[in-house]
């Protein structure tokens, strides 16, 4: 790779190193697949490079001190701790003991392998009142139209304060823009305040465009609601539900706490359904945590509500 970086041909590299041209071509292709150039690998050890290019073919014989990746993973949760800092501490400790150490790329690659094998995910620290996560629930409910006897499907709007896991649920007759915005207003009234930001999905009723690069475009009504309540609307990345993990998890919990609890009851209007939902949600919110005490009211009111918002549309 060093010789190829100097613009030598594969045939010339093979002649200099005394190997076949196919070997040179193979190494070049493997590095391309890994997205690595000579600049990326020049400081790596042979074992580190073998481990990346031939993970199943070669058994490494390391000549450096093994890294305690369980310790690395726990330290990365602490404020200000970075992978580079932990590698430097590991390197300095090895040097002081007169023992070998792995290069930084090997250190990072092996850490990501460790977390992948353990199926670990990043731990997110939430602060009170900073954000609320909102979504439509997949499971639905229903009520009966007393005039026609028709069973009307009701869709559930779900909101969660990540810090306290305090939830809000409201049933609507559709998932259109008007219902989406009105549910936000009712949610603010329920929480008795507004958060710093709202984390939502990339639903068509709120987000016009969410490109991989460039500015996120919200529809006019949703943007106006955010400006009125002085709260930032932050859609998650496309196909990245873990960016709003609290509400994704709460959707399942709410389905159990509300839908299952009310499954045997028959409702004759949307109002009676929402009345029952409010009681079920109160029981859910009042339920104590298993490992810590739940506060009686969510610490959420960053900005008090002073007036009723009107949809400019």
């Amino acid at each position: 790779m060093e010789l190829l970086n100097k613009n030598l041909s594969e045939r010339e590299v093979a002649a200099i190193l005394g190997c076949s041209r196919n070997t040179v071509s193979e190494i070049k292709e493997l590095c391309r697949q890994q997205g690595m150039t000579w600049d990326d690998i020049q400081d790596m050890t042979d074992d580190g490079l073998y481990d990346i290019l031939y993970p199943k073919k070669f058994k490494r014989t390391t000549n450096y001190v093994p890294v305690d990746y369980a310790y690395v993973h726990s330290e990365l949760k602490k404020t200000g701790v970075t992978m580079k800092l932990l590698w430097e501490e590991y390197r300095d400790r090895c040097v002081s003991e007169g023992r070998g150490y792995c290069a930084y790329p090997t250190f990072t690659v092996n850490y990501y392998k460790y977390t992948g094998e353990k199926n670990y995910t990043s731990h997110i620290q939430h602060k009170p009142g900073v954000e609320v996560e909102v979504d439509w629930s997949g499971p639905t409910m229903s009520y009966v139209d007393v005039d026609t006897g028709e069973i009307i499907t009701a869709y559930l709007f779900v909101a969660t304060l990540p810090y306290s896991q305090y939830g809000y649920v409201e049933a609507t007759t559709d998932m259109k823009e008007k219902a989406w915005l009105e549910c936000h207003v009712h949610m603010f009234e329920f929480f008795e305040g507004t958060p710093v930001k709202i984390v939502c999905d990339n639903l068509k009723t709120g987000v016009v465009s969410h490109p991989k690069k460039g500015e996120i475009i919200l529809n006019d009504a949703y943007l106006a609601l955010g400006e009125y309540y002085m709260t930032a609307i932050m859609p998650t990345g496309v196909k990245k539900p873990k960016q709003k993990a609290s509400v994704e998890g709460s959707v399942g919990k709410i389905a159990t706490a509300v839908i299952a609890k009310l499954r045997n009851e028959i409702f004759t209007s949307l109002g009676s359904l929402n009345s029952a939902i409010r009681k079920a949600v109160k029981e859910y919110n009042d339920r104590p945590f298993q490992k810590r005490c739940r506060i009686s009211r969510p610490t959420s009111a960053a900005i008090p509500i002073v007036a009723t918002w009107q949809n400019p549309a």
Side-chain angles (χ1 to χ4, degrees), residues 123-128 160-166 246 250 253 284-299:
H123 178 71
I124 302 174
Q125 294 286 350
H126 294 290
K127 295 182 179 180
T160 301
L161 295 165
Y163 177 81
S164 62
Q165 291 295 297
Y166 209 83
S246 293
S250 291
K253 295 177 183 177
Y284 169 80
N285 285 334
D286 291 343
R287 190 181 306 161
F289 284 121
Q290 291 182 350
K291 297 183 179 180
R292 60 189 173 98
C293 295
R294 183 189 290 274
I295 53 180
S296 59
R297 285 291 300 167
T299 307

Side-chain angles (χ1 to χ4, degrees), residues 126 131-138 156-162 165-168 180 187 199-201 236 241-255 284:
H126 294 290
E131 66 183 60
V132 61
E133 298 179 356
V134 297
D135 201 0
W136 290 111
S137 167
L156 300 183
F157 171 88
V158 183
T160 301
L161 295 165
Q165 291 295 297
Y166 209 83
Y168 173 74
W180 176 252
M187 171 190 70
V199 180
C200 64
D201 209 342
T236 60
K242 288 185 178 181
Q243 292 184 1
K244 57 179 180 66
S246 293
V247 76
E248 290 287 345
S250 291
V251 165
K253 295 177 183 177
I254 291 294
Y284 169 80

Side-chain angles (χ1 to χ4, degrees), residues 179-211:
W180 176 252
L181 298 175
E182 287 180 346
C183 284
H184 277 66
V185 176
H186 300 158
M187 171 190 70
F188 294 149
E189 294 170 348
F190 177 80
F191 289 147
E192 298 181 1
T194 57
V196 176
K197 63 179 178 180
I198 299 171
V199 180
C200 64
D201 209 342
N202 288 277
L203 69 173
K204 294 181 180 179
T205 52
V207 182
V208 176
S209 174
H210 191 162

Side-chain angles (χ1 to χ4, degrees), residues 53-257:
L53 299 184
Y54 302 98
K56 298 181 180 180
K57 186 176 180 181
F58 288 91
K59 293 184 179 179
R60 297 177 294 143
T61 55
T62 60
N63 57 354
Y64 57 80
V65 176
V67 180
D68 183 356
Y69 285 111
Y71 167 78
V72 171
H73 186 72
S74 64
E75 290 297 296
L76 284 172
K77 297 177 183 179
K78 298 179 180 179
T79 304
V81 178
T82 64
M83 191 82 76
K84 188 73 171 180
L85 173 64
L86 293 173
W87 175 77
E88 290 173 348
E89 292 176 350
Y90 158 78
R91 177 199 61 191
D92 295 343
R93 184 169 62 255
C94 291
V95 170
S96 67
E97 297 173 355
R99 306 170 68 184
Y101 60 89
C102 68
Y104 178 65
T106 303
F107 183 90
T108 57
V109 167
N110 288 340
Y111 170 72
Y112 291 124
K113 286 185 177 180
Y114 169 82
T115 55
E117 292 171 357
K118 299 291 184 180
N119 197 27
Y120 285 151
T121 55
S122 298
H123 178 71
I124 302 174
Q125 294 286 350
H126 294 290
K127 295 182 179 180
V130 172
E131 66 183 60
V132 61
E133 298 179 356
V134 297
D135 201 0
W136 290 111
S137 167
T140 60
M141 299 186 72
S142 62
Y143 64 93
V144 179
D145 188 323
V146 293
D147 295 327
T148 64
E150 180 184 1
I151 298 177
I152 308 297
T153 299
Y155 304 91
L156 300 183
F157 171 88
V158 183
T160 301
L161 295 165
Y163 177 81
S164 62
Q165 291 295 297
Y166 209 83
Y168 173 74
V169 183
E170 180 177 347
T172 65
T173 55
D174 58 54
M175 295 190 292
K176 296 180 180 179
E177 180 185 278
K178 184 176 184 294
W180 176 252
L181 298 175
E182 287 180 346
C183 284
H184 277 66
V185 176
H186 300 158
M187 171 190 70
F188 294 149
E189 294 170 348
F190 177 80
F191 289 147
E192 298 181 1
T194 57
V196 176
K197 63 179 178 180
I198 299 171
V199 180
C200 64
D201 209 342
N202 288 277
L203 69 173
K204 294 181 180 179
T205 52
V207 182
V208 176
S209 174
H210 191 162
K212 291 183 178 180
K213 295 183 180 179
E215 185 177 357
I216 299 171
I217 302 176
L218 304 175
N219 66 39
D220 292 340
Y222 202 21
L223 181 62
L225 180 139
E227 291 176 346
Y228 179 84
Y229 285 109
M230 293 180 284
T231 181
I233 298 174
M234 308 288 290
T236 60
V238 179
K239 296 182 179 180
K240 293 185 178 180
K242 288 185 178 181
Q243 292 184 1
K244 57 179 180 66
S246 293
V247 76
E248 290 287 345
S250 291
V251 165
K253 295 177 183 177
I254 291 294
T256 301

